[in-house]
Amino acid sequence: MSETLENLSSETRQFPPPADLAAAANVTAEAYQEAADDRLAYWERQAERLSWTKPWDQVLDWSNPPFAKWFVGGELNVAYNCVDRHVEAGNGDRVAIHWEGEPGDTRTVTYAELLISVSQAANTLTELGVVAGDRVAIYLPMIPEAAVAMLACARIGATHSVVFGGFSVEALSTRINDADAKVVITADGGYRRGKPSALKPTVDEAVARCASIEHVLVVRRTGQEVAWTDKDKWWHETVEQASPEHKAQPFEAEHPLFILYTSGTTGNPKGILHTTGGYLTQASYTHNAVFDLKPETDVYWCTADIGWVTGHSYIVYGPLSNGATQVMYEGTPDTPDRGRFWQIVDKYKVSILYTAPTLIRTMMKWGDDIPAKYDLSSLRVLGSVGEPINPEAWMWYREHVGRERTPIVDTWWQTETGAVMISPLPGVTAAKPGSAMTALPGISADVVDDQAESVPNGGGGFLVLTEPWPSMLRTIWRDDKRFIDTYWSRFGAGAGNGDKWVYFAGDGAKKDEDGALWLLGRVDDVMLISGHNISTTEVESALVSHPAVAEAAVVGATDPTTGQAIVAFTIPRGNVVTEGEAGQELIKELRNHVAKTLGPIAKPRQIMLVTELPKTRSGKIMRRLLRDVAENRSLGDVTTLQDSAVMDLISSGMNSAK
Ligand code: 6R9
């Protein structure tokens, strides 16, 4: 039985960049050739974007694969690169962060002010006994202090581990214990869905289970009542009173910068370890190249949470190292109403917007009339990250947000890759809706079959990265074996196949006739229908291409005749009637629509109309839980689920449909 993924859909629409953007683009088509001619020299030039106190002796040491060292011998300070050097260059008055609280309160933080706060926080952490190499956990809402806390750690060489505000006691304490963190930085609470949501009680419970924690630093955000222990210190009584003078000391390029946990589908969360020089080089380079950032004029907004890698690389390290002005928003997209995102774009004249397919599909569900009410003419580049973006969601984004003008960059990458790997370049690529297109200059990606052979154009298989890259994970925290097993033991040298080390990303992918890359979802989610491997992404995209559908998640459920059968959970668009007969008619029509679009093999056995889907805090659909429902099992681990009530709704719908 072949493990190669079938790919069924084809997409022929293509959108070249606007001429004016192409003419002034930061990166042009030549970059691909330059990087192909001499990849390491190319990365060396990108590293020169940063300010190093000591130059490197060697660009890449790959003598002990898969353990890479980049910019060996070089030294730098990450916080200096993100803050001080912009102030020294005379840009201290430039706004670093336009912060918008959910209730509508605002703060403006300039680079000069950011320097003061980061220096004060660095002094406070030092006073609390944190030294280079120690770990600090950060559990904060989306407030400027989250960026300040991360940069303060980087400044003193402490390794941060950010945990999503809103993760459970269980999730938080496991992560603190795995990293042996000495300090937690948190807040009384943050605003979500129009009300204060407490964080401190979760920290209190977690700290009771974590012997390593010596101090808890608490930002006052909501003014909620908090219990107090002798480990607790208020941020405003310590950080804000500390000396604003702090001299950043340099660290080696391979000094650990942060650990970020990814949950994956099985086992304990993995502590992905990133280091200093290579990580910052690629975060900075990609943020400049992929978004075509012009720091003097652009207003950039990434809607991610700081607890996701996207928040690390594209709210903190990428934009700040590039001296960008950005918007940071605390809350949810429907508070006080469903126009909140567009109101923010309009208010701050956002020119670059980076968001996730889940949000785009939610906006589709809410209706076209909402974005239409706002002036979105400031937008010039749109980005997407986190999941495959269905072609129809891409088209909706382009039409209703980009108003048919703006390029869309669909950026594929992972916590493990640290920064964007596969993406169009907005001034170069004629993008196809739903495709991440090509590896960036300097990155080597391929699609291989189960024999590790590169597939020809038109073929499908597994996405791999065939050369090391600067922002690659260095290992799984304290688990080198799991690092090798998870990423390097499927293809190439790690699997006893040749002498080349090949990184397995865990995603299915295909190359279309032009060689453009299409991501097909996690291979764990692939369905096996009558002996055919079918990707969840393609069936979902076929459903979303029906005008009545905003969002869909499909899973393979055990089936006596076909091995697995496709079960689809579908959210209709806002104006669609689904009661009674109309609902049954729609389901029939959707099943036929999929069969017509992709072929009869992909026709869902069952379609459920639902109002929500189970998602992680970073907006990824948790198909594993839907599979549990479809196969009538009790639910597995739900600790990373954003809203647990969703599953009750879906399960009861499933039962009543039986
Ligand atoms: C940045 C981030 C990584 C997984 C990845 C893939 C999926 C992310 C994607 C995409 C298709 C894109 N993914 N971006 N799939 N197209 N543009 O999301 O990191 O949370 O670690 O998730 O997300 O499956 O392997 P992370």
Side-chain angles (χ1 to χ4, degrees), residues 50-53 75-86 111 114 118 147 150-158 160 248-258 274-281 283-284 312 316-318 320-322:
L50 306 178
S51 171
W52 298 72
T53 52
E75 293 184 3
L76 73 167
N77 185 286
V78 167
Y80 175 85
N81 273 282
C82 291
V83 190
D84 307 46
R85 65 172 177 150
H86 307 311
Y111 276 94
L114 188 61
V118 172
M150 290 163 73
L151 291 165
C153 289
R155 196 173 184 91
I156 63 170
H160 59 69
Q249 97 197 63
F251 294 97
E252 285 179 2
E254 285 299 334
H255 187 80
L257 178 63
F258 66 85
H274 283 287
T275 60
T276 298
Y279 170 79
L280 195 64
T281 295
S284 170
H312 285 57
V316 180
Y317 295 115
L320 296 177
S321 67
N322 289 333

Short mmCIF file of all heavy atoms in Angstrom, two decimals, residues 50-53 75-86 111 114 118 147 150-158 160 248-258 274-281 283-284 312 316-318 320-322:
data_model
loop_
_atom_site.label_atom_id
_atom_site.label_comp_id
_atom_site.label_asym_id
_atom_site.label_seq_id
_atom_site.Cartn_x
_atom_site.Cartn_y
_atom_site.Cartn_z
N LEU A 50 21.85 42.49 11.45
CA LEU A 50 21.90 42.66 12.91
C LEU A 50 23.20 43.31 13.32
O LEU A 50 24.16 43.39 12.56
CB LEU A 50 21.78 41.29 13.59
CG LEU A 50 20.58 40.45 13.19
CD1 LEU A 50 20.62 39.11 13.91
CD2 LEU A 50 19.27 41.18 13.52
N SER A 51 23.22 43.74 14.59
CA SER A 51 24.41 44.36 15.12
C SER A 51 25.09 43.33 16.03
O SER A 51 24.51 42.88 17.02
CB SER A 51 23.96 45.61 15.87
OG SER A 51 25.01 46.14 16.57
N TRP A 52 26.30 42.91 15.67
CA TRP A 52 27.05 41.89 16.41
C TRP A 52 28.19 42.57 17.16
O TRP A 52 28.86 43.43 16.60
CB TRP A 52 27.63 40.84 15.46
CG TRP A 52 26.59 40.06 14.69
CD1 TRP A 52 25.82 40.52 13.65
CD2 TRP A 52 26.22 38.69 14.89
NE1 TRP A 52 24.99 39.52 13.19
CE2 TRP A 52 25.22 38.38 13.94
CE3 TRP A 52 26.63 37.69 15.77
CZ2 TRP A 52 24.62 37.13 13.85
CZ3 TRP A 52 26.04 36.44 15.68
CH2 TRP A 52 25.04 36.16 14.73
N THR A 53 28.45 42.14 18.39
CA THR A 53 29.60 42.71 19.10
C THR A 53 30.88 41.95 18.74
O THR A 53 31.98 42.45 18.92
CB THR A 53 29.41 42.65 20.63
OG1 THR A 53 29.06 41.31 20.97
CG2 THR A 53 28.30 43.58 21.08
N GLU A 75 28.93 36.96 18.61
CA GLU A 75 28.23 37.35 19.84
C GLU A 75 27.34 38.57 19.57
O GLU A 75 27.70 39.45 18.79
CB GLU A 75 29.23 37.69 20.95
CG GLU A 75 30.00 36.46 21.42
CD GLU A 75 30.94 36.75 22.60
OE1 GLU A 75 30.95 37.91 23.08
OE2 GLU A 75 31.64 35.82 23.00
N LEU A 76 26.20 38.59 20.25
CA LEU A 76 25.27 39.70 20.10
C LEU A 76 24.28 39.68 21.27
O LEU A 76 24.21 38.71 22.02
CB LEU A 76 24.50 39.59 18.78
CG LEU A 76 23.41 38.53 18.61
CD1 LEU A 76 22.58 38.81 17.37
CD2 LEU A 76 24.00 37.13 18.54
N ASN A 77 23.55 40.78 21.41
CA ASN A 77 22.46 40.80 22.38
C ASN A 77 21.16 41.04 21.63
O ASN A 77 21.04 42.00 20.86
CB ASN A 77 22.69 41.88 23.44
CG ASN A 77 21.62 41.82 24.52
OD1 ASN A 77 20.47 42.22 24.30
ND2 ASN A 77 21.97 41.30 25.70
N VAL A 78 20.20 40.16 21.84
CA VAL A 78 18.93 40.22 21.10
C VAL A 78 18.16 41.50 21.45
O VAL A 78 17.63 42.18 20.56
CB VAL A 78 18.08 38.97 21.40
CG1 VAL A 78 16.65 39.14 20.91
CG2 VAL A 78 18.72 37.73 20.75
N ALA A 79 18.08 41.85 22.73
CA ALA A 79 17.31 43.04 23.13
C ALA A 79 17.97 44.31 22.58
O ALA A 79 17.29 45.23 22.14
CB ALA A 79 17.20 43.10 24.65
N TYR A 80 19.30 44.34 22.59
CA TYR A 80 19.99 45.50 22.01
C TYR A 80 19.56 45.66 20.55
O TYR A 80 19.28 46.76 20.08
CB TYR A 80 21.52 45.32 22.11
CG TYR A 80 22.27 46.42 21.42
CD1 TYR A 80 22.55 47.61 22.09
CD2 TYR A 80 22.65 46.30 20.08
CE1 TYR A 80 23.20 48.66 21.43
CE2 TYR A 80 23.29 47.32 19.41
CZ TYR A 80 23.56 48.50 20.09
OH TYR A 80 24.19 49.54 19.43
N ASN A 81 19.49 44.54 19.84
CA ASN A 81 19.12 44.58 18.43
C ASN A 81 17.66 44.97 18.21
O ASN A 81 17.32 45.52 17.17
CB ASN A 81 19.39 43.22 17.77
CG ASN A 81 20.81 43.12 17.27
OD1 ASN A 81 21.15 43.65 16.22
ND2 ASN A 81 21.68 42.47 18.04
N CYS A 82 16.81 44.66 19.17
CA CYS A 82 15.38 44.96 19.02
C CYS A 82 15.02 46.35 19.53
O CYS A 82 13.94 46.84 19.22
CB CYS A 82 14.54 43.91 19.75
SG CYS A 82 14.62 42.29 18.96
N VAL A 83 15.87 46.92 20.38
CA VAL A 83 15.49 48.18 21.01
C VAL A 83 16.60 49.23 20.94
O VAL A 83 16.47 50.24 20.24
CB VAL A 83 15.09 47.95 22.49
CG1 VAL A 83 14.47 49.21 23.07
CG2 VAL A 83 14.11 46.78 22.62
N ASP A 84 17.68 49.01 21.67
CA ASP A 84 18.69 50.06 21.85
C ASP A 84 19.18 50.65 20.53
O ASP A 84 19.33 51.86 20.39
CB ASP A 84 19.95 49.52 22.57
CG ASP A 84 19.64 48.83 23.88
OD1 ASP A 84 18.70 48.01 23.92
OD2 ASP A 84 20.36 49.08 24.87
N ARG A 85 19.45 49.77 19.57
CA ARG A 85 20.09 50.29 18.35
C ARG A 85 19.17 51.22 17.57
O ARG A 85 19.64 52.11 16.87
CB ARG A 85 20.64 49.18 17.47
CG ARG A 85 19.59 48.25 16.89
CD ARG A 85 20.25 47.32 15.90
NE ARG A 85 19.27 46.38 15.38
CZ ARG A 85 19.34 45.86 14.16
NH1 ARG A 85 20.33 46.17 13.37
NH2 ARG A 85 18.41 44.99 13.76
N HIS A 86 17.85 51.06 17.71
CA HIS A 86 16.95 51.99 17.03
C HIS A 86 16.97 53.35 17.72
O HIS A 86 16.88 54.38 17.07
CB HIS A 86 15.51 51.44 17.02
CG HIS A 86 15.42 50.05 16.48
ND1 HIS A 86 16.01 49.68 15.30
CD2 HIS A 86 14.82 48.93 16.97
CE1 HIS A 86 15.76 48.39 15.08
NE2 HIS A 86 15.05 47.92 16.08
N TYR A 111 10.07 53.54 20.92
CA TYR A 111 11.28 52.74 21.14
C TYR A 111 12.06 53.25 22.35
O TYR A 111 12.64 52.46 23.10
CB TYR A 111 12.14 52.69 19.87
CG TYR A 111 11.66 51.59 18.93
CD1 TYR A 111 10.77 51.86 17.89
CD2 TYR A 111 12.07 50.28 19.12
CE1 TYR A 111 10.30 50.85 17.06
CE2 TYR A 111 11.61 49.25 18.29
CZ TYR A 111 10.73 49.53 17.27
OH TYR A 111 10.27 48.51 16.47
N LEU A 114 10.31 51.91 25.31
CA LEU A 114 10.51 50.46 25.39
C LEU A 114 11.89 50.16 25.99
O LEU A 114 12.03 49.26 26.83
CB LEU A 114 10.39 49.86 23.97
CG LEU A 114 10.37 48.34 23.86
CD1 LEU A 114 9.18 47.74 24.62
CD2 LEU A 114 10.31 47.91 22.39
N VAL A 118 12.34 47.82 29.24
CA VAL A 118 13.11 46.58 29.14
C VAL A 118 14.31 46.64 30.10
O VAL A 118 14.62 45.65 30.77
CB VAL A 118 13.57 46.33 27.68
CG1 VAL A 118 14.52 45.15 27.59
CG2 VAL A 118 12.35 46.10 26.78
N ALA A 147 5.82 41.70 25.76
CA ALA A 147 7.02 41.92 24.94
C ALA A 147 8.18 42.37 25.82
O ALA A 147 9.32 41.93 25.64
CB ALA A 147 6.72 42.95 23.85
N MET A 150 9.71 39.38 27.67
CA MET A 150 10.52 38.53 26.79
C MET A 150 11.85 39.20 26.49
O MET A 150 12.92 38.56 26.58
CB MET A 150 9.76 38.25 25.48
CG MET A 150 8.55 37.34 25.67
SD MET A 150 7.38 37.39 24.29
CE MET A 150 8.26 36.48 23.02
N LEU A 151 11.80 40.48 26.15
CA LEU A 151 13.05 41.19 25.82
C LEU A 151 13.97 41.33 27.04
O LEU A 151 15.20 41.30 26.91
CB LEU A 151 12.73 42.57 25.25
CG LEU A 151 12.08 42.55 23.86
CD1 LEU A 151 11.48 43.91 23.54
CD2 LEU A 151 13.10 42.15 22.80
N ALA A 152 13.38 41.47 28.23
CA ALA A 152 14.21 41.59 29.44
C ALA A 152 14.94 40.28 29.69
O ALA A 152 16.12 40.28 30.07
CB ALA A 152 13.34 41.96 30.64
N CYS A 153 14.28 39.17 29.46
CA CYS A 153 14.95 37.87 29.58
C CYS A 153 16.10 37.79 28.59
O CYS A 153 17.23 37.44 28.94
CB CYS A 153 13.96 36.73 29.32
SG CYS A 153 12.75 36.51 30.63
N ALA A 154 15.78 38.11 27.33
CA ALA A 154 16.81 38.03 26.29
C ALA A 154 18.00 38.92 26.65
O ALA A 154 19.15 38.56 26.43
CB ALA A 154 16.22 38.47 24.95
N ARG A 155 17.69 40.06 27.25
CA ARG A 155 18.74 41.03 27.56
C ARG A 155 19.75 40.48 28.56
O ARG A 155 20.93 40.75 28.48
CB ARG A 155 18.07 42.30 28.12
CG ARG A 155 18.98 43.50 28.14
CD ARG A 155 18.19 44.74 28.54
NE ARG A 155 19.06 45.89 28.46
CZ ARG A 155 19.18 46.65 27.37
NH1 ARG A 155 18.48 46.38 26.29
NH2 ARG A 155 20.01 47.68 27.38
N ILE A 156 19.25 39.68 29.51
CA ILE A 156 20.16 39.14 30.53
C ILE A 156 20.52 37.67 30.25
O ILE A 156 21.15 37.03 31.08
CB ILE A 156 19.58 39.31 31.95
CG1 ILE A 156 18.28 38.51 32.12
CG2 ILE A 156 19.35 40.79 32.28
CD1 ILE A 156 17.79 38.44 33.57
N GLY A 157 20.11 37.18 29.12
CA GLY A 157 20.50 35.81 28.76
C GLY A 157 19.69 34.73 29.44
O GLY A 157 20.06 33.56 29.43
N ALA A 158 18.54 35.12 30.04
CA ALA A 158 17.65 34.10 30.62
C ALA A 158 16.78 33.55 29.49
O ALA A 158 16.45 34.26 28.54
CB ALA A 158 16.78 34.72 31.70
N HIS A 160 13.36 32.34 28.02
CA HIS A 160 11.94 32.42 28.40
C HIS A 160 11.14 31.26 27.85
O HIS A 160 11.49 30.66 26.84
CB HIS A 160 11.32 33.77 28.05
CG HIS A 160 11.34 34.16 26.61
ND1 HIS A 160 10.61 33.52 25.64
CD2 HIS A 160 12.00 35.16 25.97
CE1 HIS A 160 10.81 34.11 24.48
NE2 HIS A 160 11.66 35.10 24.63
N ALA A 248 23.35 46.15 28.08
CA ALA A 248 23.14 44.80 27.55
C ALA A 248 24.48 44.13 27.31
O ALA A 248 25.37 44.71 26.70
CB ALA A 248 22.37 44.88 26.23
N GLN A 249 24.61 42.90 27.82
CA GLN A 249 25.87 42.21 27.58
C GLN A 249 25.68 41.18 26.46
O GLN A 249 24.60 40.61 26.31
CB GLN A 249 26.37 41.58 28.88
CG GLN A 249 26.03 40.13 29.03
CD GLN A 249 26.16 39.61 30.44
OE1 GLN A 249 25.46 40.04 31.36
NE2 GLN A 249 27.03 38.64 30.58
N PRO A 250 26.71 41.01 25.65
CA PRO A 250 26.57 40.09 24.52
C PRO A 250 26.57 38.62 24.93
O PRO A 250 27.15 38.26 25.95
CB PRO A 250 27.80 40.38 23.65
CG PRO A 250 28.77 41.08 24.53
CD PRO A 250 28.02 41.69 25.67
N PHE A 251 25.87 37.80 24.14
CA PHE A 251 25.88 36.34 24.34
C PHE A 251 26.28 35.66 23.04
O PHE A 251 26.13 36.22 21.96
CB PHE A 251 24.49 35.86 24.78
CG PHE A 251 24.13 36.37 26.13
CD1 PHE A 251 23.33 37.51 26.26
CD2 PHE A 251 24.63 35.77 27.27
CE1 PHE A 251 23.03 38.02 27.52
CE2 PHE A 251 24.34 36.28 28.53
CZ PHE A 251 23.53 37.41 28.65
N GLU A 252 26.77 34.44 23.21
CA GLU A 252 27.16 33.68 22.03
C GLU A 252 25.97 33.41 21.14
O GLU A 252 24.84 33.28 21.62
CB GLU A 252 27.74 32.33 22.47
CG GLU A 252 29.13 32.45 23.04
CD GLU A 252 29.67 31.10 23.48
OE1 GLU A 252 28.96 30.09 23.30
OE2 GLU A 252 30.79 31.10 24.01
N ALA A 253 26.23 33.26 19.85
CA ALA A 253 25.16 33.04 18.87
C ALA A 253 24.30 31.84 19.24
O ALA A 253 23.10 31.82 18.99
CB ALA A 253 25.74 32.86 17.48
N GLU A 254 24.89 30.82 19.84
CA GLU A 254 24.12 29.62 20.19
C GLU A 254 23.58 29.63 21.62
O GLU A 254 23.11 28.61 22.12
CB GLU A 254 24.95 28.35 19.93
CG GLU A 254 25.07 28.00 18.45
CD GLU A 254 23.72 27.72 17.77
OE1 GLU A 254 22.77 27.31 18.45
OE2 GLU A 254 23.63 27.97 16.54
N HIS A 255 23.61 30.78 22.28
CA HIS A 255 23.02 30.86 23.62
C HIS A 255 21.51 30.63 23.52
O HIS A 255 20.85 31.18 22.65
CB HIS A 255 23.32 32.24 24.22
CG HIS A 255 22.92 32.36 25.65
ND1 HIS A 255 23.70 31.86 26.67
CD2 HIS A 255 21.83 32.89 26.22
CE1 HIS A 255 23.08 32.09 27.83
NE2 HIS A 255 21.95 32.71 27.58
N PRO A 256 20.92 29.80 24.43
CA PRO A 256 19.47 29.55 24.34
C PRO A 256 18.66 30.82 24.54
O PRO A 256 18.91 31.56 25.50
CB PRO A 256 19.21 28.58 25.50
CG PRO A 256 20.54 28.09 25.95
CD PRO A 256 21.56 29.07 25.52
N LEU A 257 17.72 31.07 23.63
CA LEU A 257 16.89 32.28 23.74
C LEU A 257 15.53 31.94 24.34
O LEU A 257 15.07 32.60 25.26
CB LEU A 257 16.73 32.91 22.36
CG LEU A 257 15.85 34.15 22.26
CD1 LEU A 257 16.43 35.31 23.07
CD2 LEU A 257 15.67 34.59 20.80
N PHE A 258 14.89 30.92 23.79
CA PHE A 258 13.59 30.55 24.38
C PHE A 258 13.26 29.09 24.16
O PHE A 258 13.80 28.43 23.27
CB PHE A 258 12.45 31.44 23.88
CG PHE A 258 12.09 31.34 22.42
CD1 PHE A 258 11.21 30.36 21.96
CD2 PHE A 258 12.59 32.26 21.51
CE1 PHE A 258 10.85 30.30 20.62
CE2 PHE A 258 12.23 32.20 20.15
CZ PHE A 258 11.37 31.22 19.71
N HIS A 274 15.05 27.28 20.90
CA HIS A 274 15.64 28.19 19.91
C HIS A 274 16.78 28.97 20.53
O HIS A 274 16.76 29.29 21.72
CB HIS A 274 14.58 29.15 19.36
CG HIS A 274 13.69 28.49 18.35
ND1 HIS A 274 14.13 28.18 17.09
CD2 HIS A 274 12.41 28.05 18.44
CE1 HIS A 274 13.14 27.58 16.42
NE2 HIS A 274 12.08 27.49 17.22
N THR A 275 17.76 29.28 19.69
CA THR A 275 18.94 30.00 20.18
C THR A 275 19.00 31.40 19.57
O THR A 275 18.04 31.84 18.94
CB THR A 275 20.22 29.18 19.95
OG1 THR A 275 20.36 28.94 18.54
CG2 THR A 275 20.15 27.84 20.69
N THR A 276 20.09 32.08 19.74
CA THR A 276 20.13 33.52 19.59
C THR A 276 20.39 34.06 18.17
O THR A 276 19.53 34.69 17.57
CB THR A 276 21.20 34.06 20.57
OG1 THR A 276 20.76 33.74 21.90
CG2 THR A 276 21.38 35.55 20.45
N GLY A 277 21.56 33.81 17.63
CA GLY A 277 21.99 34.51 16.41
C GLY A 277 21.25 34.08 15.16
O GLY A 277 20.76 34.92 14.38
N GLY A 278 21.14 32.77 14.94
CA GLY A 278 20.46 32.27 13.75
C GLY A 278 18.98 32.59 13.80
O GLY A 278 18.38 33.00 12.80
N TYR A 279 18.39 32.41 14.98
CA TYR A 279 16.95 32.69 15.13
C TYR A 279 16.65 34.15 14.78
O TYR A 279 15.77 34.45 13.97
CB TYR A 279 16.48 32.38 16.56
CG TYR A 279 15.07 32.88 16.80
CD1 TYR A 279 13.98 32.16 16.33
CD2 TYR A 279 14.84 34.10 17.43
CE1 TYR A 279 12.69 32.63 16.49
CE2 TYR A 279 13.56 34.58 17.59
CZ TYR A 279 12.48 33.85 17.12
OH TYR A 279 11.20 34.33 17.26
N LEU A 280 17.42 35.07 15.38
CA LEU A 280 17.11 36.48 15.15
C LEU A 280 17.38 36.86 13.69
O LEU A 280 16.64 37.66 13.11
CB LEU A 280 17.90 37.38 16.11
CG LEU A 280 17.37 38.81 16.18
CD1 LEU A 280 15.95 38.87 16.74
CD2 LEU A 280 18.29 39.72 17.00
N THR A 281 18.41 36.27 13.11
CA THR A 281 18.71 36.54 11.70
C THR A 281 17.52 36.19 10.82
O THR A 281 17.07 36.99 10.00
CB THR A 281 19.94 35.72 11.24
OG1 THR A 281 21.08 36.17 11.98
CG2 THR A 281 20.20 35.86 9.75
N ALA A 283 14.31 35.53 11.72
CA ALA A 283 13.09 36.25 12.09
C ALA A 283 13.12 37.64 11.45
O ALA A 283 12.14 38.11 10.87
CB ALA A 283 12.95 36.34 13.61
N SER A 284 14.27 38.30 11.54
CA SER A 284 14.40 39.66 11.02
C SER A 284 14.34 39.67 9.49
O SER A 284 13.60 40.46 8.89
CB SER A 284 15.73 40.23 11.53
OG SER A 284 16.03 41.43 10.89
N HIS A 312 5.97 35.22 18.96
CA HIS A 312 7.41 35.37 19.24
C HIS A 312 8.14 36.00 18.05
O HIS A 312 8.83 36.99 18.20
CB HIS A 312 8.04 34.00 19.51
CG HIS A 312 7.73 33.42 20.86
ND1 HIS A 312 6.46 33.20 21.31
CD2 HIS A 312 8.55 32.99 21.87
CE1 HIS A 312 6.50 32.67 22.53
NE2 HIS A 312 7.76 32.54 22.89
N VAL A 316 7.22 40.06 18.39
CA VAL A 316 8.37 40.53 19.16
C VAL A 316 9.65 40.60 18.31
O VAL A 316 10.05 41.68 17.88
CB VAL A 316 8.57 39.68 20.43
CG1 VAL A 316 9.79 40.17 21.23
CG2 VAL A 316 7.33 39.78 21.32
N TYR A 317 10.25 39.47 18.00
CA TYR A 317 11.62 39.53 17.49
C TYR A 317 11.77 40.06 16.06
O TYR A 317 12.67 40.84 15.78
CB TYR A 317 12.29 38.17 17.67
CG TYR A 317 12.44 37.85 19.15
CD1 TYR A 317 11.76 36.78 19.73
CD2 TYR A 317 13.21 38.67 19.97
CE1 TYR A 317 11.88 36.52 21.09
CE2 TYR A 317 13.32 38.42 21.32
CZ TYR A 317 12.65 37.34 21.88
OH TYR A 317 12.76 37.11 23.22
N GLY A 318 10.90 39.63 15.14
CA GLY A 318 11.02 40.12 13.76
C GLY A 318 10.76 41.62 13.65
O GLY A 318 11.65 42.40 13.28
N LEU A 320 10.39 44.04 15.91
CA LEU A 320 11.18 44.96 16.72
C LEU A 320 12.63 45.02 16.25
O LEU A 320 13.24 46.09 16.23
CB LEU A 320 11.08 44.61 18.21
CG LEU A 320 9.66 44.74 18.80
CD1 LEU A 320 9.63 44.30 20.27
CD2 LEU A 320 9.12 46.17 18.68
N SER A 321 13.18 43.89 15.80
CA SER A 321 14.55 43.97 15.28
C SER A 321 14.59 44.84 14.03
O SER A 321 15.62 45.44 13.73
CB SER A 321 15.10 42.56 14.98
OG SER A 321 14.38 41.97 13.92
N ASN A 322 13.46 44.93 13.32
CA ASN A 322 13.42 45.76 12.12
C ASN A 322 12.96 47.19 12.38
O ASN A 322 12.79 47.96 11.44
CB ASN A 322 12.49 45.11 11.08
CG ASN A 322 13.09 43.86 10.48
OD1 ASN A 322 14.32 43.71 10.43
ND2 ASN A 322 12.25 42.94 10.04
#
